[in-house]
Amino acid sequence: MNMLSKKARCDADGQDSSFFVGLQEYEKNPYDVVRNPSGIIQMGLAENQLSFDLLESWLARNSDVATFEKNGGSTFRELALFQDYHGLPAFKKVLVDFMAKIRRNKVSFHPNKLVLTAGATSANETLMFCLANPGEAFLIPTPYYPGFDRDLKWRTGVELVPIHCSSLNKFRITESALQEAYQQAQKLNLRVKGILITNPSNPLGATMTRLELNHLITFAMDKNLHIVSDEIYSGTVFGSSSFISIIEAARERNLENTDIWSRIHIVYSLSKDLGLPGFRVGMIYSDNETVTSAATKMSSFGLVSSQTQYLLSNLLGDKKFMKSYMKENRKRLKKRHEMLVSGLGNMGIRCLKSNAGLFCWVDMRHLLSSNTFEAEMELWKKILSEASLNISPGSSCHCTEPGWFRVCFANMKKETLKLSIQRMKTFVDSINDENSENQQLSFCITKRRSLTKWVFQLSLYDRGPDR
Amino acid sequence: MGFSSPNSQLLSKIATNELHGENSPYFHGWKAYDNDPFHPIQNPNGVIQMGLAENMLSFDLIEDWIKKNPRASICTSEGLNKFRDIAIFQDYHGLSEFRNAVAKFMGRVRGDRVKFDPARIVMGGGATGANELITFCLADPGDAFLVPSPYYPAFGRDLRWRTGVQLFPVMCNSKNDFQITVEALEEAYEKAKQSNIKVKGLIIANPSNPLGTVLDREALKTLVSFINEKNIHLVCDEIYAATVFSAAPNFISVAEIIQEMDCNRDLIHIVYSMSKDMGLPGFRVGIVYSYNDAVVNCGRKMSSFGLVSSQTQHLLASMLDDEEFVEMFLRESAKRLSDRHKFFTMGLEQVGISCLKSNAGLFVWMDLRSMLIEQTVEAELELWKIIINQVKLNVSPGSSFQCVEPGWFRVCFANMDDATVEIALKRIQMLAGQGKEKEVAVKNKPWRKNLRLSFPARIYDESSVMSPRLMSPHSPIPHSPLVRART
């Protein structure tokens, strides 16, 4: 008899090997400006480390939060005991206000419809448990965050069917792509329950257009589907074109109080906007009472620590501070983004036009030896070993076109980003020299190169995927 | 329930079935309590909450430690320099200092008779999350776990709801003080086998909830032999390990037993938490400790769905590493639990109410069989209604723990202050028909400021972090619905 469950035995936790091999290599040889200046620079982690100083100075000014002192009394024991899965009311109040602010107050949210979870990781899994039975499917646009293969599928038994997006139209979701994906699911005998989008997108870093959102809504209405909109990057929008939430788009079409309204669900988290992934603060927002009721009960399996709820309810409750924080944070993200885009531009590498997120979607198709995923892996390996940069290959994000890479820019110091751009330049120059030599010697031969073993070794030291 | 309402088709079966267990009839007690919660000054005749297995006796010790150790908090000026490292840390291995401190603490709680390896520590969202996680690792939908009854009601949700796993009770009764017998184990195992259901493991709580008893060496060895022979897993929920308050009988962990006998260690797993021993259920610190490498590996990945907040990991790493504090805390906490238990059980004995002999947990298993009109579950629930509505105590009826014998009730004693316990005792004594009911002249009592008011009082406390109508716009189970403590 097999001693462990199927879930434990099979690797359907979907942890992409290249993603983790990259992490492992990084951990063996991490860059440090003093101790290891030639080490690998980590550009595969979508973390926001740009604005900690602002949070730290807030904390320094608000130390009563630390000692749990409030109104002269100690709140410690109340917090220590507080395990109500409805969450700390004060915390949910400030969260819904914060979410509304991010959406320029075009929509308002009610705390009763918010469910707190242990990170967006848990929020997404919980929604799958609520909306689909094992064997049913969700459609999802490619490229997408690699962690979804675990979060949405692993323990839930739900299937993912890709909606293929192409660089020809900037990876935008089209009506025909939606239809194709739906038909593909039907061919596979899978009942489609909904569509899951990430808006702003990971890995594209772009907000969805009104047109795309409308296609989705129309499609979901027509086929009676749910829409899960993971808006985890909504506070990182730094570009001129603004973020339109799915809820805003639906409201513009006067769809409140119609069927589809109860099938739209938002996922959010404080991991990206505030750079606090360690605190495990995620949430689900839905107008569907059955969903929030079930999700609330399920949140028992991963509640947010009361200590953390308390701290953050105070932080987010300081509206003046949060306003200036968000403004400054966006400014810094924009600068970093520009630095990377122009730096890469100077060496002939273009990025998809983006206005959000903590990364760029970089077009290195012209650097591939052939238009294949093998060539992409080769290039990725080379960049890792020769340029000592850990970036994420598009194949790990299920991109259908080889040659795209996600490169993060917000998880390091400015000098480090400069250095990584320099290294990239050196690398690209060397490739160009190599190419021109090869061209002189022979015409290019597209040879199927086998991948070296170590690329596919599953890491024993994997840290767990970050976005 | 089988309706084909639009919602039930649009949503999953899990979202619309009743396996979360919160609509069971016994919520009546919670409703009564929520509608009429005891407050020493504002509502002295309200319902006293004795259905909540929480440890509120030793907060002062922890508060004191926190005040003296500002560096353990990332919000103080002393600890601020750690803020960004902690805030960014989401590695599912957990902070190494956290794992080290937890391993050390777990060893200390077991008198250092056994050492725990930090590399085997996996985080869970409270023991609730930990129990679900280990089940996902060990069993497929349709498989079964054996569980001795009476057992913690939320096992029904934690082990079954999203996992699709079934529970087969191993029936225990008072004839032998509810001890688990080989016959009962075999019976449950056979029952599953006859229904063609694969048994993947046995889950026990030691110390037991609701019994408050510990398993002795022989009993543990018997269990280990049983699972070893059947080649099934053994999950030991040792969440009450440090609530053992008298020297005899000693708490023996399964970790100790496997040092003394041959068994396949790949079958042995421990679940733990800070919610009972330390009284910190709000911090959501659950632990899975497995001797099986594959389970640790897989469990670690699954823990992504319920990691412990790094802020909390950081605080506890510091606290649990403080050997002097831990020593003092364990000793003092055990003493307070012992004193409270003694006071309570003696008070019950004075009116002829006996409890199962116990020396652990935050509750007693009270024997009210003689008060039943007839030995049935219905009679038990009738008596329970009287206790709630007339005696004004929310206690938990044995049937909610799947107890096969009607008439037993779990009564919690560690979630209130001394004065409230006295009032509760007087009310029980009244129930037993002894002595006149003396209205406690509550208004004349000097309520000290640092009084640990029973939970509901905080609803009236303006400075409370919780608002008055905080619970349950939707849930029938109003407050602290995290069932771990609810029952």
Side-chain angles (χ1 to χ4, degrees), chain B residues 109 113 179 206-207 212-220 240-241 243-253 256 341 356-361:
Chain B
V109 166
R113 294 182 298 273
Q179 289 174 64
N206 178 35
T213 53
V214 299
L215 291 171
D216 63 29
R217 188 165 253 101
E218 280 320 300
L220 276 166
Y240 290 100
T243 66
V244 178
F245 45 77
S246 78
N250 222 348
F251 168 64
I252 306 169
S253 165
E256 295 170 59
H341 176 265
L356 185 72
K357 193 155 182 292
S358 68
N359 70 325

Side-chain angles (χ1 to χ4, degrees), chain B residues 280-300:
Chain B
L280 304 171
F283 289 5
R284 313 316 303 142
V285 183
I287 303 288
V288 173
Y289 188 93
S290 175
Y291 290 89
N292 183 320
D293 291 345
V295 170
V296 170
N297 203 21
C298 165
R300 185 157 282 140

Side-chain angles (χ1 to χ4, degrees), chain A residues 166-179:
Chain A
S166 140
S167 61
L168 293 172
N169 75 334
K170 299 185 187 148
F171 296 96
R172 299 264 175 235
I173 304 171
T174 61
E175 280 175 292
S176 56
L178 281 166
Q179 292 288 357

Side-chain angles (χ1 to χ4, degrees), chain B residues 17-75:
Chain B
N17 69 22
E18 297 289 304
L19 282 180
H20 50 72
E22 292 189 20
N23 291 336
S24 63
Y26 106 109
F27 81 83
H28 174 78
W30 285 81
K31 224 180 179 174
Y33 163 73
D34 199 48
N35 289 336
D36 183 21
F38 170 82
H39 184 287
I41 296 161
Q42 292 172 25
N43 192 20
N45 296 318
V47 176
I48 296 178
Q49 176 61 279
M50 303 193 88
L52 210 49
E54 281 175 357
N55 183 357
M56 299 192 203
L57 303 189
S58 303
F59 280 131
D60 56 320
L61 304 177
I62 298 183
E63 279 167 331
D64 202 54
W65 186 92
I66 289 179
K67 284 203 176 87
K68 294 200 177 104
N69 292 271
R71 277 180 56 223
S73 163
I74 47 175
C75 311

Side-chain angles (χ1 to χ4, degrees), chain A residues 3 5-6 13 15 56 77-78 80 83-85 129-130 133 150 226 278 290 305-308 462 466, chain B residues 7 12-13 22 63 87 90 92-93 136-137 140 233 282 301 309-312 452 458 465 471 482:
Chain A
M3 288 317 297
S5 64
K6 291 196 186 80
D13 57 354
Q15 303 206 116
E56 283 160 353
R77 72 192 57 186
E78 285 178 30
Q83 53 175 332
D84 180 3
Y85 58 26
F129 270 123
C130 289
N133 294 311
R150 172 198 63 188
H226 292 276
T290 315
S305 169
S306 57
Q307 178 192 22
T308 302
D462 43 273
D466 299 299
Chain B
N7 242 351
S12 68
K13 294 194 182 77
E22 292 189 20
E63 279 167 331
Q90 56 173 328
Y92 57 36
H93 290 85
F136 266 124
C137 288
D140 291 317
H233 293 278
K301 293 178 176 122
S309 167
S310 54
Q311 178 193 17
T312 302
R452 285 184 199 82
R458 280 190 286 281
V465 294
M471 330 276 180
L482 231 221

Side-chain angles (χ1 to χ4, degrees), chain B residues 188-354:
Chain B
Y189 187 83
E190 281 309 306
K191 195 163 172 212
K193 217 167 141 196
Q194 275 162 27
S195 319
N196 254 324
I197 294 171
K198 210 191 296 179
V199 174
K200 288 312 282 286
L202 165 68
I203 180 164
I204 62 168
N206 178 35
S208 161
N209 175 8
L211 305 175
T213 53
V214 299
L215 291 171
D216 63 29
R217 188 165 253 101
E218 280 320 300
L220 276 166
K221 283 191 157 154
T222 306
L223 291 178
V224 172
S225 299
F226 176 79
I227 58 107
N228 213 28
E229 186 237 322
K230 299 272 191 274
N231 201 29
I232 62 176
H233 293 278
L234 178 61
V235 177
C236 291
D237 186 340
E238 299 188 345
I239 197 180
Y240 290 100
T243 66
V244 178
F245 45 77
S246 78
N250 222 348
F251 168 64
I252 306 169
S253 165
V254 69
E256 295 170 59
I257 294 298
I258 61 174
Q259 283 175 162
E260 299 168 14
M261 62 185 287
D262 274 330
C263 89
N264 178 2
R265 289 192 172 204
D266 277 348
L267 300 173
I268 309 291
H269 323 273
I270 296 176
V271 166
Y272 188 56
S273 156
M274 295 290 132
S275 301
K276 309 295 175 185
D277 292 349
M278 298 295 290
L280 304 171
F283 289 5
R284 313 316 303 142
V285 183
I287 303 288
V288 173
Y289 188 93
S290 175
Y291 290 89
N292 183 320
D293 291 345
V295 170
V296 170
N297 203 21
C298 165
R300 185 157 282 140
K301 293 178 176 122
M302 274 193 194
S303 69
S304 302
F305 299 110
L307 296 174
V308 177
S309 167
S310 54
Q311 178 193 17
T312 302
Q313 288 185 50
H314 181 67
L315 175 69
L316 289 178
S318 215
M319 197 187 296
L320 301 179
D321 189 55
D322 186 340
E323 291 176 12
E324 218 180 286
F325 167 75
V326 165
E327 194 62 47
M328 183 274 297
F329 180 88
L330 292 177
R331 195 182 53 237
E332 185 60 26
S333 174
K335 179 171 180 300
R336 294 180 187 188
L337 285 169
S338 174
D339 289 346
R340 179 57 69 83
H341 176 265
K342 204 181 284 174
F343 176 75
F344 194 67
T345 48
M346 272 170 54
L348 292 177
E349 268 163 42
Q350 279 171 17
V351 294
I353 294 179
S354 66

Side-chain angles (χ1 to χ4, degrees), chain B residues 419-440:
Chain B
T420 310
V421 170
E422 276 183 47
I423 297 171
L425 254 183
K426 286 202 166 61
R427 292 185 185 181
I428 297 178
Q429 286 165 347
M430 181 195 77
L431 165 74
Q434 304 244 339
K436 289 186 219 133
E437 183 188 8
K438 289 180 186 136
E439 285 289 347
V440 179

